[in-house]
């Protein structure tokens, strides 16, 4: 029998997060966006809810929840504030998860508890100025010199890499370049390491108050034991990390789309044109009906992908489908929400304006829509080039 | 504590009473302050927080919210015969359930967000023969006494009494924590005692009847005084008229 119900605890948690977002985040989201700085006080309050430790075992300070529970929190936050939703998604999925999944017991004990508590944040440095989705094009190098890695190169668009509480960035680097291609490994670089420089923030279209930086490594030395996972395992490790990330980004996209639906319904009741609320016109009501339908389907898609994962079954294709579909739904919902709001949709006082700017990156980050289509096609036995 | 219709939703009436069936109900927001106050005292001094509610079986949800916040155990008194109980009946039942139990302090909200009588806690203290400190804006326990800042119209009084006692806390006495997922999971395993009327030696005498319920008068729009020559004078006249000055 198909069962679409969340567990009782997940529903209760969803209500708690929704209340938290309404009380603590909603009143300030517009201002934070204008200021363009990660609001550390809000991060601290999110940490108080245990959000940053959700999927990790209690032994490392986590809550022992599953991926879906984390996604529920991300979706609820993204209804109102995509910048904080991506901060959480990246902190857990990209920052802490590789340490948990591929770290030695010693590495886990050392780095994970502060990350799970939300007292520290970590970044994952994969993308470089010369390429994102094409990880094999990695140019950053790490060479062993005695018992230290010497790292040279640069990384781009690295979330949570420059906050006041960032403790480390895990980077991918070429550890050997031979006849049989590049050997790519993951290495933990603590934030205070000499030779590790965090660049200024970007002027982004959206996600204004998420923390994103360019990173430079100039003869940056870290101990040999900072290798994360097997030598040469960096590439396959990051691929498996991204599968989960796609489900979480899908949740974020669904949250944004739902936020657009909510705001549009509210506005359709309030705003009058030609003597009646605009929601009484089919042109508006049908738009909202379509937005809500697609949002619901996108939610079902990511729930199913998470459900497959929880059952230990293959979910790569469903994760890619969920990410592809929900990010395109989010962009469409934001565009239509602005259209429904008319001129006010172009004004920052109305949340849909910010949602519109925040939506586009969802079709790009953690695997572009094009890469999603390649992955899905491959799962179908096709080899698109 | 009380399970009440979500105060953020429009009120639905059923005759003279609030409709509760099919309405989203929550732990009374006023009670969250009481739970938080109890948790903080226990964190400081040790001990346990027991959450007590009288209400329909669904009121267990309100208790569960408090258990998720970190309270240790719950006690729900539920019985069909208690439907429509007034403040006196509620206090009588709670006194019967709590009398003879070992406790240092009873913490209650000043008033419920649905009924707003604000008489239940004082009645309960009287029935249990406990000293009561009401309208606390802060509270602390030292040795065997409790001290509160008691809100008054023009400031606050500092009052103290020996334990055991009953304290009512105002909204704003603290900032209630949100339950964490870990707390929600832990709440599932916490003990919840359930009592029916037959378990208590109590005679009920419900005398209060709701005769009529009317809509409160809508707040009228404010008066705008345009800034010109004698703005201050006219504002002063308006304030005098309203007997504010």
């Amino acid at each position: 029998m198909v069962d679409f119900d969340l567990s009782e605890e997940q529903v209760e948690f969803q209500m708690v997060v929704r209340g938290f977002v309404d009380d603590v985040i909603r009143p300030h989201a517009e201002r934070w966006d204008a200021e363009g700085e990660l609001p550390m006080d809000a991060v601290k309050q999110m940490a108080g809810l245990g959000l940053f430790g959700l999927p990790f075992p209690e032994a490392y300070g986590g809550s022992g929840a599953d991926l879906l529970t984390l996604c529920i929190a991300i979706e609820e936050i993204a209804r109102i504030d995509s910048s904080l939703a991506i901060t959480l998604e990246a902190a857990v999925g990209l920052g802490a998860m590789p340490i948990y999944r591929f770290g030695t017991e010693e590495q886990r004990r050392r780095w994970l508890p502060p990350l799970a508590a939300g007292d520290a944040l970590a970044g994952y440095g994969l993308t470089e100025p010369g390429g994102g989705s094409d990880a094999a094009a990695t140019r950053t190098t790490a060479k062993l010199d005695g018992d230290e890695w010497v790292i040279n190169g640069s990384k781009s668009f690295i979330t949570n890499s420059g906050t006041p509480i960032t403790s480390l960035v895990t980077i991918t680097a070429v550890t050997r370049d031979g006849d049989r291609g590049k050997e790519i490994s993951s290495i933990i670089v603590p934030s205070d390491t000499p030779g590790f420089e965090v660049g200024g923030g970007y002027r982004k279209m959206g996600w204004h108050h998420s923390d994103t930086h360019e990173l430079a490594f100039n003869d940056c030395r870290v101990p040999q034991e900072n290798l994360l996972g097997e030598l040469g395992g960096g590439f396959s490790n990051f691929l498996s990390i991204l599968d989960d990330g796609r489900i979480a980004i899908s949740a974020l996209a669904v949250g944004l789309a739902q936020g657009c639906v909510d705001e549009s319904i509210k506005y359709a009741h309030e705003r009058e044109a030609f003597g009646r609320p605009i929601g009484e016109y089919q042109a508006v009501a049908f738009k909202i009906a379509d937005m809500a339908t697609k949002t619901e389907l996108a939610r079902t898609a990511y729930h199913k992908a998470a459900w497959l994962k929880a059952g230990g079954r293959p979910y790569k294709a469903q994760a890619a489908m969920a990410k592809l579909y929900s990010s395109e739904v989010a962009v469409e919902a934001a565009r239509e929400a602005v259209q429904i709001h008319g001129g006010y949709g172009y004004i920052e006082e109305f949340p849909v304006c910010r949602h519109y700017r925040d939506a586009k990156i969802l079709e790009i980050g953690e695997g572009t829509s094009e890469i999603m289509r390649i992955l899905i096609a491959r799962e179908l036995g096709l080899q698109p080039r | 504590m009380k399970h009440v219709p979500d105060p953020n939703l429009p009120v639905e009436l059923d005759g003279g009473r609030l409709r509760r069936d099919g309405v989203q109900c929550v732990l009374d927001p006023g009670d969250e302050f009481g739970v938080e106050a109890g948790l903080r005292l226990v964190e400081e001094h040790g001990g346990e927080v027991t959450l007590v509610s009288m209400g329909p079986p669904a009121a267990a949800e309100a208790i569960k919210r408090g258990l998720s916040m970190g309270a240790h155990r719950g006690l729900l008194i539920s019985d069909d015969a208690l439907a429509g109980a007034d403040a006196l009946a509620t206090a009588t039942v709670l006194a019967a359930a709590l009398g003879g139990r070992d406790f240092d302090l009873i913490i209650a909200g000043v008033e419920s967000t649905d009924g707003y009588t604000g008489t239940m806690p004082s009645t309960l203290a009287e029935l249990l023969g406990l000293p009561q400190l009401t309208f606390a804006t802060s509270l602390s326990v030292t040795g065997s006494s409790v001290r509160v800042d008691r809100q008054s119209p023009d400031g606050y009084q500092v009052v103290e009494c020996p334990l055991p006692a009953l304290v009512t806390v105002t909204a704003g006495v603290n900032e209630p924590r949100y339950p964490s997922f870990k707390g929600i999971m832990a709440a599932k395993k916490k003990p919840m005692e359930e009592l029916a009327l037959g378990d208590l030696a109590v005679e009920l005498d419900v005398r209060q009847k709701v005769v009529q319920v009317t809509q409160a008068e809508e707040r009228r729009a404010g008066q705008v005084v345009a800034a010109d020559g004698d703005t201050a004078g006219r504002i002063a006249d308006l304030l005098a008229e309203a007997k504010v000055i």
Side-chain angles (χ1 to χ4, degrees), chain A residues 107-180:
Chain A
Q107 287 170 330
R108 289 174 170 187
R109 295 249 165 237
R110 177 168 174 200
W111 299 107
L112 210 44
L115 296 174
D119 293 335
L121 293 172
Y124 191 66
L126 169 75
T127 303
E128 299 196 353
S133 297
D134 181 8
T138 302
R139 287 193 187 156
T140 298
T141 59
K143 293 198 169 82
L144 259 188
D145 178 25
D147 57 359
E148 286 182 327
W149 292 107
V150 183
I151 303 165
N152 280 286
S154 52
K155 297 287 177 182
S156 305
F157 311 127
I158 310 306
T159 305
N160 291 337
S161 60
T163 76
I165 59 170
T166 299
S167 60
L168 67 97
V169 175
T170 302
I171 60 150
T172 50
V174 179
T175 42
R176 193 172 56 195
D177 196 355
D179 304 339
R180 294 191 301 169

Side-chain angles (χ1 to χ4, degrees), chain A residues 229-353:
Chain A
E230 288 168 29
L231 196 62
F235 196 68
S236 58
N237 284 356
F238 106 84
L239 286 179
S240 69
I241 284 291
L242 287 190
D243 280 339
D244 287 5
R246 283 175 191 132
I247 300 176
I249 291 291
S250 177
L252 205 165
V254 169
L256 184 142
Q258 187 64 53
C260 291
V261 171
D262 295 345
E263 290 297 329
S264 297
I265 293 172
K266 198 171 111 198
Y267 193 72
H269 283 302
E270 286 168 6
R271 171 73 178 182
E272 293 193 2
F274 307 107
R276 60 175 69 171
I278 60 171
E280 290 182 19
Y281 296 103
Q282 280 194 4
V284 171
F286 282 15
K287 262 194 213 310
I288 297 176
D290 285 344
M291 288 158 64
T293 302
K294 290 172 184 178
T295 303
E296 180 65 16
L297 284 173
R299 182 179 292 115
T300 307
Y302 95 69
H303 279 206
K304 182 175 178 188
W307 173 78
L308 285 169
K309 177 188 157 67
R313 292 153 66 180
Y315 62 101
K316 198 179 188 56
Q318 282 78 8
M321 288 172 180
K323 200 272 181 184
L324 170 65
Y325 183 68
S326 55
S327 58
E328 295 191 349
V329 164
V331 170
E332 185 184 333
R335 188 183 67 235
E336 295 290 36
V338 169
Q339 193 67 25
I340 289 165
H341 280 67
Y344 288 112
Y346 206 66
I347 305 289
E348 290 289 355
E349 276 86 343
F350 287 78
V352 295
C353 180

Side-chain angles (χ1 to χ4, degrees), chain A residues 13 17 20-21 25 38 42-43 46-47 49-56 69-78 81-97 115-116 118 121-122 159-160 209-211 248-249 252 366:
Chain A
F13 180 64
V17 178
F20 169 81
V21 170
I25 296 179
L38 182 64
V43 170
M46 286 162 65
L49 253 72
L51 299 184
F52 291 96
L54 277 174
F56 306 112
T69 307
L70 171 66
C71 287
I72 290 168
I74 291 170
E75 182 189 326
E76 287 303 322
I77 296 171
D81 190 324
S82 288
S83 289
L84 286 177
I86 188 58
T87 299
L88 172 63
E89 192 279 333
V92 175
L94 301 177
M97 191 55 85
L115 296 174
L121 293 172
T159 305
N160 291 337
H209 50 291
S210 79
D211 179 89
I249 291 291
L252 205 165
E366 298 201 31

Side-chain angles (χ1 to χ4, degrees), chain A residues 8-9 12-13 16 20 23 49 54 62 65 69, chain B residues 64-65 68 175 178-182 184-185 188:
Chain A
E8 214 176 292
E9 291 74 32
E12 197 180 334
F13 180 64
V16 168
F20 169 81
D23 295 345
L49 253 72
L54 277 174
T69 307
Chain B
K64 238 170 72 184
R65 170 85 183 200
S68 299
E175 199 167 318
Y178 293 89
S180 67
F181 187 73
K182 217 192 274 188
I184 291 170
M185 295 305 286
K188 280 203 301 186

